[in-house]
Amino acid sequence: MTDPRFAVTPEPPYYAVIFSSRRTPGDHGYADMAEDMERRVARVAGFLGMESVRDAEGFGITVGYFANEAAIAEWKGEPEHRIAQNEGRRRWYEHFEVRVTKVERAYGGPAKRTGEPGAG
Amino acid sequence: MTDPRFAVTPEPPYYAVIFSSRRTPGDHGYADMAEDMERRVARVAGFLGMESVRDAEGFGITVGYFANEAAIAEWKGEPEHRIAQNEGRRRWYEHFEVRVTKVERAYGGPAKRTGEPGAG
């Protein structure tokens, strides 16, 4: 499985931060910021990967995976990310929800594991 | 915040099942199945809501929210959902990842809460 849209994560437990968002119309510097944030989060110790998708309506889900709570806290407090968070509230997002979760178990298919219970 | 794309979830803890997937080309009954599954999951006791997005490349993330593990188990074993899972492995998905997570904390913005730490 080499599809780069999927994060390659270790065996649980680890953390997943689910960011669901509705964009405002127009770019207003959003694309540049998003690219910069992708580079910056990758430098956080304990960052494991991310998966992100947005549709033509402007609704998106991004999931960031982290080894532990310390990595999440570091990323939340990263100076440029703090600025981005503020700009996000001010002009990029009509609404968003952040959910910090602990991954308890995980499995993939069909290329990765075909013997998973329920695979038939 | 009345945007129907967002799930309205209670205070944590609750569970989130993150389903990341890459579709195969073509429909092959996928859209009808997806609509049917949305109706069926809503009948599961302890189902809280879902958020779902897929882009033009066929990469998508769906997050289902559940009150407890029993609700997740009931949904995983629902007869028509089991058939859909098998068909998904057989023809609808090139690859998918399922991560079962426990939501530890959550917050929203900007419409819902503007006094959140980090809001500036």
Side-chain angles (χ1 to χ4, degrees), chain A:
Chain A
M1 203 281 298
T2 56
D3 188 329
R5 297 290 298 270
F6 290 92
V8 179
T9 45
E11 287 297 304
Y14 54 91
Y15 287 82
V17 180
I18 306 168
F19 179 73
S20 308
S21 65
R22 166 81 71 181
R23 285 272 288 111
T24 50
D27 187 69
H28 308 294
Y30 174 81
D32 286 349
M33 173 283 297
E35 203 176 294
D36 187 41
M37 290 303 120
E38 272 192 54
R39 277 193 302 269
R40 288 175 180 278
V41 72
R43 294 179 203 145
V44 171
F47 171 73
L48 300 174
M50 66 189 295
E51 293 168 346
S52 190
V53 54
R54 188 172 303 281
D55 66 19
E57 290 183 10
F59 185 81
I61 300 176
T62 295
V63 187
Y65 300 103
F66 297 88
N68 47 53
E69 288 266 18
I72 296 171
E74 183 182 330
W75 175 234
K76 189 169 184 187
E78 200 265 357
E80 291 296 322
H81 185 212
R82 285 181 65 93
I83 293 169
Q85 287 169 60
N86 291 343
E87 288 299 291
R89 288 175 185 271
R90 196 167 69 85
R91 54 179 182 162
W92 288 321
Y93 300 112
E94 288 186 357
H95 187 76
F96 65 76
E97 297 286 336
V98 177
R99 294 176 176 99
V100 179
T101 79
K102 187 172 190 176
V103 180
E104 299 192 339
R105 59 185 186 277
Y107 56 92
K112 191 171 164 186
R113 289 170 64 181
T114 52
E116 186 68 25

Side-chain angles (χ1 to χ4, degrees), chain B:
Chain B
M1 202 282 296
T2 55
D3 188 329
R5 298 288 298 270
F6 290 92
V8 179
T9 45
E11 287 297 304
Y14 54 90
Y15 287 81
V17 179
I18 305 167
F19 179 73
S20 309
S21 65
R22 167 81 74 182
R23 284 272 289 111
T24 50
D27 186 70
H28 310 294
Y30 174 80
D32 285 348
M33 174 283 296
E35 203 177 295
D36 186 41
M37 290 303 120
E38 271 192 54
R39 277 193 302 267
R40 289 176 179 276
V41 72
R43 292 178 204 146
V44 172
F47 172 74
L48 300 174
M50 66 188 296
E51 293 169 346
S52 190
V53 54
R54 188 173 303 282
D55 67 18
E57 289 183 10
F59 184 81
I61 300 176
T62 295
V63 187
Y65 300 102
F66 298 88
N68 48 51
E69 287 268 17
I72 296 172
E74 182 182 330
W75 175 235
K76 190 170 183 186
E78 200 264 358
E80 290 297 323
H81 185 213
R82 285 181 65 92
I83 293 169
Q85 287 168 60
N86 291 342
E87 288 299 290
R89 289 176 184 269
R90 196 167 69 86
R91 56 179 183 162
W92 289 320
Y93 299 113
E94 288 186 356
H95 187 77
F96 66 76
E97 297 286 338
V98 177
R99 293 175 176 100
V100 179
T101 80
K102 186 172 190 175
V103 180
E104 299 192 338
R105 58 185 186 278
Y107 56 92
K112 190 171 163 185
R113 287 171 65 180
T114 54
E116 186 68 23

